[in-house]
Amino acid sequence: MQKRVLSGVQPTGSLHIGNWLGAIKNWVELQDTHETFVCVVDLHAITVPHDPKSLAENTISTAAIYIACGMDPKKCSIFVQSQIAAHAELCWLLNCVTPLNWMERMIQFKEKSKKQGENVSVGLLNYPILMAADILLYDADLVPVGEDQKQHLELARDIAQQRINSVFSKDGSPILKVPNPLIIKEGAKVMSLVDAKNKMSKSDPIESSRINLLDSPDIITKKIKRAKTDSIVGLEFDNPNRPEANNLLTLYSILSGQEKKAVIKECSEMGWGTFKPLLAEAAVEAIKPIQQNYQELIQDRGEIFSILNDGKAKANEVAQLTLERVYSELGFLRKSTH
Ligand code: TRP
């Protein structure tokens, strides 16, 4: 039997090159060898204030980008998180067994709540429990995520193992499968173009900090031209004092499909003024097929809805089984058991 993979991205703002290289590109490879579920995590998108006018549109567009990047509905299941009620239901069950202090020490919660000031919702605190529910519902073996999600993965493992299996299993057999993270190192972390110490992020208020997958060639070229650099002559990887050089060279290596060694040979003597147009061209070329696929697809809403409906049916089947198992092991009165 194939191992199962689950992952997702939030439908907030537009997806960028970091989402592609750090997440979606890996899913595309995994779908050939794994039973793959990918969702648009719209319930997560409302853990910070959101605009109801754009949520549905962003959800459709995010799903279309998955497909445009190569997720093939014949090989995987693509669905919308909020359309599977089991996510919210399992989240509630897990909320009730997870200690509050596990949640308060989540790094991403601390960082995000600092930014939110007075307006932090309980949902933001619970965010990682909902993510645990996403994963555990599908008995996922592997969860491909960026490095920043590692702590959330640990939490999902701890909840499954320490708070469900070891407390509620009557015969020692696991109720929930304990998932493993799949952290893809190379390119897993594309950094901001304006501050290479921070990850490229959808929520960064500085638009030029990221290259969106739907940016025009002109915008991409401008953003790269403006990207922060240093005044040192020559380019190199892995110099801790030159995070920008490392980030932009790594991007170039991935986007142009060349090994680091080849990139060093080509670029080590270059100044930024010569290198940046090269990088811009590589980025434009790499993204072009995605944009073409996207433009075609987004004009055919019926096709997208039909893909999402199929995904929903396949996801629901798996999720319901797990949810029923947990309800019944926790002692709930279920139609099927009484
Ligand atoms: N928190 C993840 C992120 O920001 C998104 C996410 C939600 C996710 N649920 C998930 C990722 C389940 C993997 C599996 O990247």
Side-chain angles (χ1 to χ4, degrees):
M1 231 173 61
Q2 284 190 332
K3 291 210 166 175
R4 213 177 258 161
V5 164
L6 177 120
S7 200
V9 169
Q10 293 186 51
T12 40
S14 30
L15 268 63
H16 52 70
I17 204 161
N19 298 121
W20 177 41
L21 300 175
I24 304 173
K25 195 162 175 249
N26 305 305
W27 308 348
V28 173
E29 281 162 29
L30 287 164
Q31 68 181 338
D32 285 323
T33 46
H34 291 69
E35 189 186 353
T36 305
F37 291 86
V38 290
C39 53
V40 181
V41 289
D42 54 348
L43 294 172
H44 279 105
I46 67 162
T47 55
V48 293
H50 82 288
D51 180 3
K53 285 201 233 48
S54 52
L55 183 59
E57 204 48 47
N58 285 341
T59 300
I60 296 171
S61 155
T62 302
I65 286 187
Y66 291 180
I67 303 162
C69 288
M71 291 311 288
D72 178 350
K74 287 193 211 76
K75 298 184 191 164
C76 70
S77 307
I78 304 170
F79 66 98
V80 178
Q81 180 194 35
S82 66
Q83 294 181 356
I84 309 282
H87 289 246
E89 290 184 71
L90 183 62
C91 179
W92 176 255
L93 301 180
L94 301 182
N95 277 342
C96 295
V97 298
T98 306
L100 181 59
N101 66 38
W102 287 14
M103 306 315 298
E104 287 166 336
R105 61 172 189 239
M106 290 286 122
I107 296 162
Q108 202 165 65
F109 171 70
K110 286 198 263 186
E111 282 172 357
K112 283 193 185 173
S113 55
K114 226 185 277 161
K115 281 191 209 144
Q116 296 272 311
E118 293 283 289
N119 211 1
V120 179
S121 71
V122 178
L124 190 65
L125 181 71
N126 278 7
Y127 176 117
I129 303 186
L130 177 60
M131 177 165 164
D134 297 342
I135 296 165
L136 299 173
L137 270 179
Y138 296 89
D139 290 329
D141 297 283
L142 281 180
V143 185
V145 284
E147 211 143 53
D148 61 317
Q149 297 297 311
K150 221 169 152 181
Q151 195 186 27
H152 292 165
L153 244 299
E154 286 297 321
L155 180 86
R157 290 169 56 87
D158 290 347
I159 293 175
Q161 187 56 47
Q162 297 171 34
R163 292 284 149 166
I164 296 287
N165 293 349
S166 60
V167 177
F168 295 101
S169 171
K170 288 172 204 87
D171 58 4
S173 64
I175 300 166
L176 291 171
K177 176 154 219 164
V178 181
N180 284 307
L182 179 67
I183 313 276
I184 288 111
K185 281 278 179 281
E186 199 52 41
K189 220 172 168 189
V190 177
M191 311 308 277
S192 156
L193 295 184
V194 295
D195 177 2
K197 284 186 217 62
N198 287 323
K199 203 178 139 170
M200 188 177 282
S201 158
K202 282 186 284 196
S203 55
D204 192 324
I206 305 174
E207 173 61 28
S208 59
S209 68
R210 63 185 155 262
I211 298 171
N212 297 318
L213 290 172
L214 300 179
D215 280 345
S216 69
D218 197 36
I219 300 267
I220 294 174
T221 308
K222 277 200 188 113
K223 283 179 174 173
I224 290 177
K225 201 166 173 187
R226 262 191 239 130
K228 187 175 171 222
T229 52
D230 52 30
S231 51
I232 302 168
V233 182
L235 302 176
E236 57 189 328
F237 286 103
D238 300 323
N239 179 340
N241 298 320
R242 302 188 69 193
E244 291 83 16
N246 190 61
N247 186 40
L248 297 181
L249 275 184
T250 303
L251 259 183
Y252 180 62
S253 143
I254 299 169
L255 294 171
S256 66
Q258 297 184 77
E259 306 262 332
K260 278 185 172 186
K261 253 199 233 144
V263 169
I264 276 302
K265 213 166 162 199
E266 184 185 0
C267 307
S268 64
E269 313 268 288
M270 279 181 192
W272 290 111
T274 322
F275 173 72
K276 280 182 163 182
L278 261 185
L279 174 60
E281 197 189 314
V284 168
E285 283 307 308
I287 294 176
K288 199 191 267 171
I290 297 176
Q291 294 191 341
Q292 282 167 351
N293 292 342
Y294 179 87
Q295 291 313 340
E296 226 169 88
L297 195 66
I298 204 69
Q299 280 161 35
D300 191 354
R301 296 284 158 126
E303 173 69 10
I304 299 174
F305 290 143
S306 139
I307 290 169
L308 290 176
N309 264 331
D310 288 351
K312 178 179 163 186
K314 286 191 273 179
N316 221 356
E317 219 172 280
V318 177
Q320 275 306 323
L321 279 178
T322 312
L323 182 67
E324 276 308 320
R325 198 165 70 228
V326 178
Y327 269 134
S328 95
E329 298 280 357
L330 264 54
F332 281 85
L333 173 66
R334 303 305 286 176
K335 276 186 254 128
S336 49
T337 53
H338 292 267

